[in-house]
Amino acid sequence: MTRALKHLALLGYVVFLAFPLLWLLSTALKTPQEMAALDPTWIPRRPTLANFADAFGEQDLLGAALRSLVVAVATALITVTLALPAAYALARHRSAAGRIAIGWVLVSQVFPVVLVIIPLFMVLRRLELVNTLAGLTVVHVTFVMPFALWMLRGYVRAVPRELEEAAAVDGAGRLRALAAVVAPLLAPGVVATLLFGFISSWNEFLFALVILKDPEVETLPLTLVRFVGPEGVARLGPLAAASLLATVPSLVFFAIIQRRLRSGLMAGAVKG
Amino acid sequence: MTALAERPYGGSRGGPQGGSQGGSQGGRRSRGALALMLPALVPVLVFSVGPLLYGILLAFTDARSGRNTETSFVGLENFAELLSDGDFWESFRIGLVWGLSVTVLQFLASLGLALLLNQDLRLRGVARVLAVVPWAMPPVVIGLMWRLVYHPDAGLLNGLFGTRVDWLHDFSLALPAVIVVGVWTGMPQTTVVLLAGLQNVPKELYEAVSVDGAGAWRRFWNVTLPQLRPVIVAITSLDFVWNINQFSLVYVLTQGGPGGRTRLPMLFAYEEAFRYGFFGYAATLGVAITIVVLAVLGLYLWRQAREAD
């Protein structure tokens, strides 16, 4: 293949990957009149930000975003708090139980979420946690836990054990060694896992759909779907605007952790 | 790549490391490990094993969504009902068509992209960024975005082709249209993993065949592909599992319509459980999905392992 052909192929990919995104942006900036025109235009003739204002007027976007924020932050913090000691143990101490636990984390990926969501729903109902943000948080923690464990375990293993042992030999206690030597090296991985937990929860739809019933407790993905309505008729401009806004936090955080997430996924994929 | 570089510390098959030196230290360690293992096992047990076992158990009951309904064991009754349920077979057929075609197309598209990204081409920077964006987007937003693209009036496609097709409501076009979205959505992970795999192929191998005068195609066929094989097997297996369990994307795009033409098994199970309230039956569906996934994966991995020998 010549270079020109390769460039052409890559251009094809860029177009395929970019065109829906550009169309979303274009739709968000169009006036209703232009949207109704028979010939769709790529670049809005008279770009407007009115759709963004309308989006906030049409649905309780701000409230939904706040609720999503609460659930996502809580999910990230709880998951990492629970998973960190676990990941440390799994990385440092080899035992049959540990191997089974980490094997399970992999195997559990095969099961469809219905098998988890129905029992969780029944338990939450008994605890009167259906239709509450607390209930959704519990479910999100279970959903993020396996990959968080997997990621954190990888980051712990990347910290040379010798460093830790050297510090312990130097007279620092095991805990001091952990705090002084391991914690700083582990911090970036912990931040990456926190952000991963946040993004997963912020983006999550199915569990929210099952757990949350009233508009007053809805998270952002549910509110976005509500824009479309049961008949599928929607004011496309505000819908596009709201969709763009909902994507911003995920994109920003993802940009920060992208590299580390890649290595986490690689560890999973290569070692299988 | 940190997680890859740490191999030396991770030798699980009992290297020379902790063997003979220090028996007493070993004893202290194992007690400490037990204390440490507890926080490790509890979250896994409570949040993952427990609900799953409960879910599997439900498959053998007639559990309903009502608050005060009695639940009793019904043995394999749900499974018998499942096998005679035409909607179930149709949903599974669609699920397999969707799962296999998205996985295969995703793989081919991502392999092409990864090969291009691995070379020094212009546009590479842009393509790299674009290639991971779908990964970060909420599935709901991806679904809504493509609804705008497919929209019959204000959409892009009809304007571009001069057609008047209602893509997502057409009986024969809906599934292919949804598959395209599936491919678009899942390309990032696959591309990233394949690209990393490509970068790990030792340069010397290429040099050796270049000396033999092999062309680009032969190099790809004889060096790249065999070297990538483990990575390919791993990522396509993962993709298949992810794809067959897809829900949000298709729910937002079509809600399973038109006339059930895009009703993936997960959508079917969701409706059974949370629209009609048949918890037990939906759990049975979940178990059936698991069996199918395991069967397909098992066959695939078995064939790969045989060919690798």
Side-chain angles (χ1 to χ4, degrees):
Chain A
M1 235 203 295
T2 64
R3 275 186 88 70
L5 266 176
K6 284 180 189 169
H7 275 115
L8 204 65
L10 193 58
L11 185 67
Y13 275 110
V14 168
V15 169
F16 175 64
L17 289 167
F19 89 90
L21 298 167
L22 292 175
W23 189 246
L24 181 68
L25 186 66
S26 158
T27 309
L29 298 175
K30 274 181 194 168
T31 59
Q33 290 78 11
E34 193 167 352
M35 208 95 66
L38 274 179
D39 267 327
T41 42
W42 268 106
I43 301 164
R45 273 186 224 105
R46 260 190 275 123
T48 169
L49 290 177
N51 288 323
F52 289 87
D54 287 356
F56 282 95
E58 220 160 280
Q59 300 280 348
D60 181 20
L61 267 192
L62 206 61
L66 276 176
R67 287 188 290 273
S68 275
L69 186 73
V70 169
V71 173
V73 168
T75 300
L77 289 175
I78 295 172
T79 310
V80 169
T81 310
L82 288 175
L84 193 56
Y88 181 82
L90 290 174
R92 283 289 189 256
H93 303 280
R94 312 208 151 263
S95 66
R99 266 198 293 280
I100 291 171
I102 207 72
W104 173 265
V105 166
L106 280 179
V107 170
S108 67
Q109 297 303 300
V110 175
F111 295 96
V113 273
V114 243
L115 275 182
V116 186
I117 187 67
I118 296 172
L120 282 176
F121 179 82
M122 293 170 77
V123 171
L124 290 180
R125 196 174 51 185
R126 198 162 300 160
L127 299 172
E128 306 277 335
L129 283 175
V130 169
N131 215 5
T132 66
L133 296 183
L136 184 63
T137 307
V138 170
V139 178
H140 278 181
V141 168
T142 69
F143 153 74
V144 178
M145 181 68 74
F147 199 65
L149 262 176
W150 189 254
M151 277 175 85
L152 284 170
R153 174 174 161 268
Y155 298 135
V156 173
R157 287 169 78 174
V159 176
R161 176 177 245 160
E162 286 75 11
L163 270 182
E164 204 178 313
E165 277 162 4
V169 169
D170 284 351
R174 185 103 201 176
L175 279 178
R176 285 258 321 268
L178 276 179
V181 180
V182 180
L185 288 171
L186 211 52
V190 171
V191 171
T193 314
L194 278 171
L195 294 184
F196 167 78
F198 181 95
I199 297 173
S200 306
S201 168
W202 179 271
N203 290 355
E204 201 283 323
F205 174 67
L206 170 57
F207 294 129
L209 182 69
V210 169
I211 304 283
L212 305 176
K213 299 290 173 206
D214 296 329
E216 301 84 64
V217 290
E218 266 177 1
T219 51
L220 204 47
L222 293 176
T223 307
L224 286 178
V225 171
R226 181 183 290 280
F227 264 92
V228 181
E231 300 86 26
V233 218
R235 290 185 54 215
L236 302 178
L239 172 70
S243 300
L244 276 178
L245 290 177
T247 311
V248 171
S250 303
L251 268 185
V252 170
F253 284 169
F254 193 84
I256 300 173
I257 63 165
Q258 209 233 101
R259 264 236 211 94
R260 291 193 159 267
L261 202 59
R262 257 195 248 180
S263 59
L265 187 76
M266 276 309 287
V270 172
K271 287 179 181 169
Chain B
M1 294 300 102
T2 43
L4 280 178
E6 40 77 26
R7 267 249 148 120
Y9 306 109
S12 63
R13 306 244 144 73
Q17 279 177 329
S20 54
Q21 7 133 300
S24 73
Q25 203 201 4
R28 205 161 23 137
R29 235 198 212 167
S30 76
R31 233 178 304 130
L34 200 68
L36 265 168
M37 265 321 177
L38 222 55
L41 296 178
V42 169
V44 175
L45 282 174
V46 173
F47 287 115
S48 186
V49 180
L52 257 174
L53 289 183
Y54 192 1
I56 292 171
L57 215 62
L58 281 174
F60 301 92
T61 70
D62 60 355
R64 303 284 209 92
S65 77
R67 258 168 192 278
N68 298 315
T69 48
E70 294 259 318
T71 300
S72 52
F73 271 91
V74 294
L76 292 172
E77 214 169 89
N78 287 333
F79 288 89
E81 196 181 325
L82 202 67
L83 292 178
S84 58
D85 185 345
D87 287 346
F88 158 76
W89 289 107
E90 181 58 13
S91 172
F92 257 56
R93 193 187 63 78
I94 292 166
L96 276 179
V97 170
W98 151 273
L100 291 174
S101 45
V102 172
T103 305
V104 169
L105 293 173
Q106 230 165 39
F107 165 66
L108 293 176
S110 303
L111 182 63
L113 181 56
L115 285 168
L116 290 170
L117 288 179
N118 200 27
Q119 301 189 12
D120 193 20
L121 298 174
R122 245 168 285 157
L123 279 176
R124 195 173 71 158
V126 189
R128 253 171 202 266
V129 172
L130 279 172
V132 290
V133 167
W135 195 351
M137 293 175 74
V140 167
V141 170
I142 296 179
L144 293 172
M145 178 178 77
W146 279 88
R147 277 179 75 138
L148 295 176
V149 170
Y150 284 133
H151 197 281
D153 305 320
L156 178 64
L157 283 193
N158 279 343
L160 218 57
F161 299 146
T163 47
R164 292 208 49 79
V165 178
D166 195 350
W167 302 88
L168 294 172
H169 292 100
D170 185 284
F171 271 66
S172 50
L173 287 176
L175 187 57
V178 170
I179 286 174
V180 170
V181 183
V183 173
W184 189 90
T185 308
M187 269 182 65
Q189 290 93 322
T190 318
T191 307
V192 163
V193 169
L194 289 175
L195 183 59
L198 280 175
Q199 286 163 351
N200 283 344
V201 176
K203 294 267 182 303
E204 305 83 61
L205 289 178
Y206 289 113
E207 283 157 17
V209 279
S210 289
V211 172
D212 293 347
W217 182 247
R218 284 261 313 274
R219 271 207 310 269
F220 172 73
W221 201 252
N222 291 335
V223 178
T224 313
L225 221 47
Q227 286 289 315
L228 269 187
R229 192 189 198 102
V231 179
I232 291 174
V233 172
I235 191 64
T236 44
S237 305
L238 270 177
D239 277 342
F240 178 71
V241 172
W242 287 333
N243 287 328
I244 203 117
N245 290 327
Q246 178 60 256
F247 175 85
S248 311
L249 201 59
V250 179
Y251 182 87
V252 173
L253 277 168
T254 63
Q255 298 229 317
R261 290 303 161 95
T262 58
R263 195 200 278 145
L264 302 184
M266 277 299 292
L267 275 91
F268 187 51
Y270 168 79
E271 283 176 6
E272 288 296 327
F274 296 103
R275 186 166 300 165
Y276 307 121
F278 297 121
F279 282 173
Y281 193 58
T284 312
L285 266 162
V287 173
I289 297 173
T290 313
I291 293 171
V292 171
V293 168
L294 287 178
V296 173
L297 274 188
L299 191 70
Y300 175 61
L301 294 176
W302 177 69
R303 278 197 47 186
Q304 289 298 325
R306 258 195 12 173
E307 275 175 41
D309 279 342

